[in-house]
């Protein structure tokens, strides 16, 4: 569903997933919305609620969705969508629903959150395995996983600072 900033519903509910919606994200230009679901799919919508495309490839529930903050020349003008799953992988997609590259593999448990850095060249991930990992867009880990004694439980959220120099979890 879409809501305005006053709490009023806008339009009709989006219909297309067959199970609980677990994550949503707006494209940087605000024209598209991606949703992930326990039905293992990602749906791409226009703002009117018209389903543009369903992306299929994860083997378990989708846990997070993120649009690249800027268009990337190597994948076209529209940029890319990153998704994470309880299948312990991250996947990149073009806006036509085609997978880009190989799944990112390294976490030992479900991935709970993902975020692009401000220039769209890196992805940070958080997991129930109590680690944070940094990835390039080829799916290669940068450095060793970060594990903090302060993260006594799963790492549930992640975000880059606007300048990209800090990551909060």
């Amino acid at each position: 569903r879409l809501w305005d900033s006053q709490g009023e519903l806008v339009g009709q509910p989006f219909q297309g997933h067959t199970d609980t919606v677990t994550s949503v994200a707006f494209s940087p230009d605000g024209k598209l919305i991606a949703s992930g679901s326990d039905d293992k799919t990602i749906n791409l919508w226009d703002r009117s609620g018209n389903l543009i495309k369903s992306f299929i490839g994860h083997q378990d529930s989708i846990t997070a969705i993120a649009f690249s903050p800027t268009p990337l020349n190597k994948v076209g003008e529209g940029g890319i969508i990153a998704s994470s799953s309880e299948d312990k992988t991250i996947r990149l997609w073009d806006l036509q629903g085609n997978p880009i590259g190989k799944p990112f593999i390294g976490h030992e448990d479900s991935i709970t959150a993902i975020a692009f850095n401000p220039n769209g060249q890196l992805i940070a991930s958080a997991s129930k395995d109590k680690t944070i990992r940094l990835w390039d867009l080829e799916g290669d880990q940068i450095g060793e996983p970060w594990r903090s004694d302060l993260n006594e439980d799963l790492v549930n959220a992640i975000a880059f600072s606007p300048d990209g120099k800090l990551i909060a979890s």
Side-chain angles (χ1 to χ4, degrees), residues 9 18 21 27 33 40 45 76 102 107 112 124 130 134 136:
L9 287 171
T18 60
V21 173
S27 62
I33 300 165
K40 306 175 190 174
W45 314 84
K102 61 184 180 188
H107 280 290
T112 56
K130 304 178 185 179
L134 194 60
D136 66 20

Side-chain angles (χ1 to χ4, degrees), residues 100-142:
I100 300 170
K102 61 184 180 188
F104 298 17
I105 297 173
H107 280 290
E108 297 171 6
D109 205 338
S110 299
I111 299 167
T112 56
I114 53 175
F116 278 96
N117 74 332
N119 71 11
Q121 299 299 311
L122 300 173
I123 296 173
S125 59
S127 172
K128 289 182 179 180
D129 69 10
K130 304 178 185 179
T131 66
I132 296 166
R133 296 172 191 250
L134 194 60
W135 311 83
D136 66 20
L137 295 183
E138 303 301 318
D140 297 318
Q141 286 187 60
I142 298 171

Side-chain angles (χ1 to χ4, degrees), residues 50-139:
N50 298 311
L51 179 61
I52 297 170
K53 188 75 176 177
S54 289
F55 305 1
I56 299 170
H58 281 290
Q59 302 302 308
D60 209 333
S61 298
I62 308 302
T63 56
I65 299 282
F67 277 90
S68 60
T70 57
L72 302 172
N73 291 334
K74 73 178 212 170
V75 294
E77 286 186 30
I80 57 177
I81 295 172
S83 60
S84 64
S85 172
E86 289 186 7
D87 68 11
K88 307 175 193 172
T89 68
I90 298 168
R91 291 180 174 262
L92 299 182
W93 309 85
D94 67 21
L95 296 186
Q96 288 72 47
N98 301 309
I100 300 170
K102 61 184 180 188
F104 298 17
I105 297 173
H107 280 290
E108 297 171 6
D109 205 338
S110 299
I111 299 167
T112 56
I114 53 175
F116 278 96
N117 74 332
N119 71 11
Q121 299 299 311
L122 300 173
I123 296 173
S125 59
S127 172
K128 289 182 179 180
D129 69 10
K130 304 178 185 179
T131 66
I132 296 166
R133 296 172 191 250
L134 194 60
W135 311 83
D136 66 20
L137 295 183
E138 303 301 318

